[in-house]
Amino acid sequence: MKTPGPKDKGATARGGGLKISVCLGSPCLASGAAGVLRALRETWGEAPIAVIGTGCMGPCSRGPMIRIERDGHPAAYYERMTPQAACTTVAAHLAGAPPGQGRLAPDFPFIARQTRIVLEQCGRIDPNDLNSARAAGGYRALAHAIGKMTPEQVCGEIGASGLRGRGGGGYPTGTKWELVRAASGRRKYVVANGDEGDPGAFMDRTLMESDPHRLLEGMVIAGYAVGARDGFIFVRGEYPLAAQRLGAAIADAGKAGLLGRNILGSGFSFRIRLRIGAGAFVCGEETALMASVMGRRGQPVIRPPYPAQRGLWGGSTLINNVETFGCIAPIIRNGAAWFRAMGTPGNSGTKVFSISGDVATEGVLEVPLGTPLRELLAMAGGVSGGSFKAAQTGGASGGCIPAGHMDVPVDYESLKGLGTIMGSGGLIVMNDQRCMTDVARFFMHFCQDESCGKCAPCRTGTQQAARLLDRIAAGEATSDDMSQLEQLCRFMQETSLCGLGMAAPTPVLSTLRWFREEYESHVRDRRCPTGVCAMEGVPCRD
C-alpha cells in the first residue's frame, strides 16, 4: 500500500475530523513512541487531521499504542506500532479500509471494561498542554469549589463520598481533611506523596505523567478546604518524566491564574512546589517524606504527633497520595452520592491497579473497588506461561492471594482477611512456575536494601530474615531455621519503628500461610518443587 505524504492533498482533505493520539507514557516512549509521533506529524500533521501526543492509554506492554478517532465512528486502538506501520494504518483509515494488523478488538477487555474516573483523561489529553486539560473539564471543579462552596462544605463533601486514602492504609480522607482544617496555627501545608517505591507499582506515575493538572487541581481544592497556602509534590527520583511534566504544569497553571495569588479572582492563594526524592524507599513513609521535604535525612520518627498535629516546620500538614488527590475533582463535579454508588459498602469509588508479571497484558487499569481478582485477570487477558498460582498485592509490604480466593472482592477489608493489604495498587501475578519461597526471599532482600537503618528490629531483622531465606532456598536450612524465621517476623512486626519495618515480614508470613508445603519441601526434602531454587551439591535426605 502506498503511504500518502503531506503533499497528498486529496487524502488530507478526506481526513476531516480525524484525530490521531500517540501514547507518550514512559513504557510507550521506551518502545519507540517518539518516533511514531514524529513520523505521523511529518506525514499527516496538517489540518484538518490532528496528531497529538497523550499520556497512558492503559495496556503498557503493548506499546507503542495509538488511537484513531473519527466523527461518528468508535475509536480504534492499535498496538506495537512502528513509524511505518502507524503511517500505513492512518492511510488505510483515510481510504476507508482500516487494517486488521495491530488493531485491538473493539471489546478488548483491558480497555473496554475499565471504569475510568481518576484516569478519565489519561490517554485523551496532551499532558503538556493546559488548554487540552481545560477543554476536557480540568479546573471546573476548582472553580465550583472556591466559587460556590465554603471550606467546610468541601470537607463535608469529601467525607460524605466515603473516599479512603489510596496510598495503602485506607484512612478516611474526609476525616483527615477535617483534622487539618480544625488544627490551629497560621501555617498549614498540603503534600502529595508521589514516592511510589513498591515493586510493580506505577499507578501514580501514570497519573502524574498523563494528567498532571488533575493532581494540581485536587491539591488546590484540598488547600482551600483545610486552610493551607502551600503545597508540595514529592516525586521519586526515578520518575524524571513525571517531574518534568509536573513542573511545566505548575508553571502553566500559575500563568493562567489557577495557582499562586488570588486564584480565579477568589482571594484564595495557594502555591505548589516540587521536591524530587533520591530513591529511598522509606520516603514513602509520611514522616520520612516530610523530613526529606524539609531538606533533612529521610528517616521516620515515632508518631504521635501525627502530621495533622505537627508536620512540616511544625505546621499542621495534610498528606495524601497522588491517586487520592486524583479523586477530588470528580467528587466535587459529580457529588458524593455519585462516588458512593461505585464500589462496595465502606469501599467507595474506583481503584487504579498496575498489573504485571505473568499476564498477557501488563499495564494500568481502573475498576470499582470490590472487583474480584478473577475479573482483573480476565481484563488482563489471563495468566501467561502456566496456570494461576498467586497474586502479590501491596508490593514489598503486602502478601499474596492464592488461587482458592480469586473471587474475593478486592477491597481493604477483604484483603486484610487474607493476610495482605491493598497497598497503593501494585498487583503482581505469578504462575505455577514460580517458587513462593524465592518470591519471599526477593521481597525480604528488597526490604533489607531499603531499610533506613534507624531501628534495630528493621535493620538487623531484615538481614537475619534474608539470611534464613537464603539458607532455605539453598537447601541448607533446618526446621529450627523455619521456626526462627517465623519468630523473627513476628518480632519485627511488633517492634519496628515505622510501618515499613512492621510490614517487611508480610510476604514471608503470607507465603508461609498459603504455601507452607513449599518451604517444608526446601527444608525437609532439599528440593524446590518448581525448580527455581538451585540446590546443586546439596545431598538429598532419605
Side-chain angles (χ1 to χ4, degrees):
M1 177 182 297
K2 175 180 178 293
T3 301
K7 294 182 180 180
D8 191 337
K9 300 301 182 184
T12 303
R14 292 192 298 274
L18 196 70
K19 179 181 177 182
I20 308 164
S21 302
V22 180
C23 176
L24 296 182
S26 286
C28 281
L29 283 172
S31 301
V36 172
L37 178 66
R38 184 166 53 249
L40 287 171
R41 282 182 169 164
E42 289 174 352
T43 307
W44 301 107
E46 296 181 4
I49 299 175
V51 181
I52 67 168
T54 70
C56 180
M57 296 181 185
C60 301
S61 63
R62 293 174 179 267
M65 292 283 302
I66 69 169
R67 183 181 58 247
I68 299 178
E69 300 169 275
R70 194 168 195 175
D71 294 343
H73 298 274
Y77 289 84
Y78 290 86
E79 63 172 344
R80 299 187 174 100
M81 286 286 100
T82 63
Q84 177 63 33
C87 291
T88 301
T89 297
V90 173
H93 267 268
L94 290 171
Q101 186 174 4
R103 183 172 184 174
L104 300 178
D107 59 350
F108 185 65
F110 203 100
I111 295 173
R113 283 149 68 171
Q114 291 201 38
T115 302
R116 286 197 155 201
I117 303 301
V118 174
L119 305 178
E120 61 182 330
Q121 300 305 334
C122 296
R124 297 186 174 279
I125 64 170
D126 181 350
N128 294 308
D129 185 357
L130 172 61
N131 292 328
S132 178
R134 298 192 76 172
Y139 294 101
R140 290 181 188 171
L142 171 63
H144 179 79
I146 65 176
K148 298 183 178 180
M149 300 174 74
T150 65
E152 293 83 356
Q153 288 174 324
V154 175
C155 284
E157 195 70 11
I158 299 304
S161 73
L163 174 64
R164 298 171 66 170
R166 300 304 196 229
Y171 191 81
T173 302
T175 302
K176 184 181 282 189
W177 286 30
E178 284 288 356
L179 288 172
V180 178
R181 191 182 70 80
S184 58
R186 294 180 54 193
R187 301 299 301 270
K188 298 181 182 179
Y189 301 92
V190 172
V191 176
N193 185 349
D195 192 58
E196 189 177 47
D198 276 334
F202 44 93
M203 306 76 53
D204 292 345
R205 185 196 70 197
T206 297
L207 183 61
M208 291 187 288
E209 287 182 356
S210 304
D211 190 2
H213 290 285
R214 170 63 66 89
L215 172 58
L216 303 186
E217 185 177 16
M219 290 182 68
V220 180
I221 292 172
Y224 172 72
V226 304
R229 296 169 58 91
D230 291 284
F232 293 90
I233 303 174
F234 190 88
V235 183
R236 65 185 308 223
E238 292 87 345
Y239 287 174
L241 181 62
Q244 179 261 316
R245 289 181 180 172
L246 281 167
I250 290 171
D252 291 343
K255 293 175 184 174
L258 299 165
L259 273 178
R261 294 181 180 275
N262 192 26
I263 294 173
L264 296 174
S266 66
F268 169 65
S269 300
F270 189 82
R271 63 175 178 169
I272 295 177
R273 285 168 283 180
L274 275 181
R275 288 288 188 269
I276 311 299
F281 178 67
V282 74
C283 285
E285 198 276 340
E286 58 187 14
T287 61
L289 183 151
M290 288 193 300
S292 187
V293 168
M294 292 185 288
R296 303 169 187 168
R297 183 175 180 179
Q299 286 189 319
V301 297
I302 294 175
R303 299 176 301 174
Y306 292 96
Q309 300 166 309
R310 183 178 175 82
L312 291 176
W313 296 283
S316 180
T317 301
L318 171 70
I319 303 178
N320 284 135
N321 94 318
V322 168
E323 184 183 344
T324 307
F325 284 118
C327 293
I328 302 304
I331 292 173
I332 297 299
R333 285 201 311 264
N334 301 296
W338 166 82
F339 192 76
R340 289 190 80 96
M342 294 178 284
T344 59
N347 291 268
S348 303
T350 59
K351 181 75 189 79
V352 181
F353 293 96
S354 57
I355 190 166
S356 60
D358 300 319
V359 288
T361 301
E362 298 175 306
V364 179
L365 43 79
E366 183 176 2
V367 295
L369 271 168
T371 299
L373 175 60
R374 189 183 299 278
E375 169 63 8
L376 292 171
L377 290 175
M379 293 173 67
V383 179
S384 61
S387 59
F388 178 79
K389 186 171 191 177
Q392 178 80 9
T393 67
S397 303
C400 61
I401 304 174
H405 296 272
M406 292 177 67
D407 293 313
V408 170
V410 178
D411 59 36
Y412 292 96
E413 284 70 33
S414 298
L415 293 183
K416 186 178 180 180
L418 294 176
T420 184
I421 59 173
M422 179 75 74
S424 56
L427 190 62
I428 302 174
V429 178
M430 292 167 278
N431 64 26
D432 58 2
Q433 306 302 307
R434 304 292 178 179
C435 170
M436 302 311 289
T437 302
D438 186 61
V439 169
R441 188 166 70 108
F442 166 81
F443 283 118
M444 187 55 71
H445 275 282
F446 176 86
C447 291
Q448 177 191 346
D449 291 341
E450 294 293 344
S451 174
C452 76
K454 185 173 184 178
C455 75
C458 179
R459 182 180 66 247
T460 61
T462 53
Q463 291 176 358
Q464 292 303 317
R467 183 182 63 82
L468 290 167
L469 286 163
D470 286 342
R471 285 174 55 79
I472 293 172
E476 300 171 350
T478 66
S479 56
D480 287 343
D481 288 325
M482 273 191 62
S483 298
Q484 186 180 357
L485 177 64
E486 289 191 79
Q487 292 173 10
L488 178 59
C489 287
R490 304 292 182 194
F491 179 77
M492 291 169 62
Q493 286 184 322
E494 295 170 359
T495 59
S496 292
L497 172 62
C498 77
L500 299 185
M502 295 176 189
T506 305
V508 178
L509 295 173
S510 177
T511 49
L512 276 169
R513 177 180 178 182
W514 301 112
F515 300 96
R516 179 175 289 272
E517 71 281 2
E518 288 197 16
Y519 282 85
E520 292 174 343
S521 180
H522 284 75
V523 173
R524 183 186 59 234
D525 305 328
R526 308 300 197 222
R527 185 179 69 85
C528 176
T530 58
V532 171
C533 300
M535 296 186 181
E536 293 86 356
V538 178
C540 294
R541 283 184 173 178
D542 294 333

